[in-house]
Amino acid sequence: MSVEVRIEQGRLSRLLRIRGGRVERKLRERTERVANIAEREAPGSMGRYISWKVESGPSGLQGVIVCDHPAVRYVLDGTRPHIIRPRRAKALRFDVGGQTVFASVVRHPGTRPNNFLAGALRLGR
């Protein structure tokens, strides 16, 4: 007695890309896990701006994590030292140690890059 099994690449490929299938469920679980890690690792309130989805891409399904906080590029890439000047007023106002301080110019030292999204991807594998 002999048994013959044929694997058709097209059918196998469609089976893997089908919506609601095993591959999509696993991808959804992994994407959600990485998004949850990114929410925890994000500085300040930035974690509240993180969302995720699974969508069809050119080579099949792909998990997408989005952070739409207005300052996310500055956090991910960091900033160089720069000068901050008031735009509409004569001075900048800060609360330092319980006291109000005014300054006409502030020399910001810059910030180091904090790529918390890539870190979440490494931790979520």
Side-chain angles (χ1 to χ4, degrees):
M1 175 191 315
S2 68
V3 175
E4 187 175 302
V5 177
R6 292 180 191 223
I7 299 174
E8 296 180 28
Q9 183 65 33
R11 283 189 177 191
L12 182 61
S13 185
R14 278 192 303 275
L15 180 66
L16 291 177
R17 279 188 258 149
I18 193 168
R19 288 300 225 164
R22 181 179 169 92
V23 172
E24 183 187 8
R25 284 193 309 268
K26 284 295 189 187
L27 181 60
R28 188 172 295 279
E29 289 172 10
R30 175 171 268 173
T31 304
E32 183 179 16
R33 183 173 62 234
V34 172
N36 289 337
I37 293 170
E39 285 178 22
R40 286 194 312 267
E41 298 294 320
S45 65
M46 203 166 282
R48 292 194 302 250
Y49 291 84
I50 292 176
S51 61
W52 63 273
K53 60 188 171 188
V54 174
E55 64 184 23
S56 296
S59 60
L61 295 174
Q62 58 187 13
V64 180
I65 299 172
V66 178
C67 181
D68 58 357
H69 189 278
V72 71
R73 292 293 345 158
Y74 301 120
V75 171
L76 295 177
D77 298 336
T79 60
R80 293 174 28 194
H82 56 281
I83 294 176
I84 301 173
R85 298 185 199 292
R87 289 185 179 180
R88 296 177 194 86
K90 293 181 181 179
L92 299 167
R93 179 182 153 187
F94 300 96
D95 291 326
V96 179
Q99 291 185 329
T100 302
V101 178
F102 295 94
S104 59
V105 174
V106 174
R107 287 178 175 76
H108 192 283
T111 57
R112 288 186 176 157
N114 177 3
N115 197 342
F116 63 92
L117 292 174
L121 185 60
R122 281 191 299 273
L123 290 173
R125 290 184 180 212

